[in-house]
Amino acid sequence: MDFKEISIRGRMAYLLCIFEKILVHFNCEKKDWSWVLERLWQYTCIEYLDDWMYEIAEYMPESVMEDDAEEIEFITQNELKKLKALYAKNPREINKMLRIIYELGTIDLYSRLQNGSPNTLEKLQEGIKSALQIGIELPNSFHFKIYKYAEGNGWGIPFDGGNLSLYL
């Protein structure tokens, strides 16, 4: 499938659908992940994507497991404890996909998009490849064609991606 005509928000929705299939594959509990997924899915509907970037940076496994807790701004101490416990038991593939999600959403954030945003397409392909390596069946990309790259300067028009979620 050529994702060049799908907006970056649509690409993110596709990648989040893949991520949720990975969570299902590894029998991850809905109750453990729904609050994290709510934040991730905000990408599809939030107006200012840099707000998402700053918040989600604190949710990244390397931030949670390695950074000093005094520097957190968006997550509470209780949420930090929950994330540490969650990430400590994650298979490597889950933490890797979280990084790919973050990178897809932020890689071109302060760039002028050109040629269909090859950087985000590359990140999407990286996520697809990772999923296929562990035997994940990909979502039907046909459903994402409604999120047009031609709209919103490539980012697409905000939409409620939570409707596509398996977890929310």
Side-chain angles (χ1 to χ4, degrees), residues 7-34:
S7 71
I8 295 174
R9 289 178 199 272
R11 295 170 194 175
M12 176 63 80
Y14 188 80
L15 190 59
L16 288 172
C17 287
I18 291 172
F19 180 62
E20 289 186 351
K21 286 180 167 237
I22 291 172
L23 294 176
V24 169
H25 175 80
F26 287 110
N27 299 313
C28 296
E29 293 288 329
K30 189 180 259 192
K31 65 178 175 49
D32 294 337
W33 282 95
S34 59

Side-chain angles (χ1 to χ4, degrees), residues 79-108:
E79 289 172 331
L80 183 62
K81 276 188 219 171
K82 284 171 52 176
L83 286 171
K84 280 184 189 255
L86 188 63
Y87 294 166
K89 64 182 180 181
N90 275 352
R92 182 176 54 80
E93 294 86 354
I94 291 176
N95 291 347
K96 179 181 178 184
M97 187 60 82
L98 281 167
R99 168 55 46 197
I100 294 169
I101 289 167
Y102 181 75
E103 289 174 358
L104 184 147
T106 61
I107 197 165
D108 277 342

Side-chain angles (χ1 to χ4, degrees), residues 117-139:
S117 180
N119 292 329
T120 61
L121 289 169
E122 187 177 304
K123 284 296 160 190
L124 180 57
Q125 289 306 318
E126 184 180 341
I128 289 169
K129 182 179 176 188
S130 293
L132 290 173
Q133 286 174 340
I134 56 173
I136 302 299
E137 184 180 330
L138 298 177

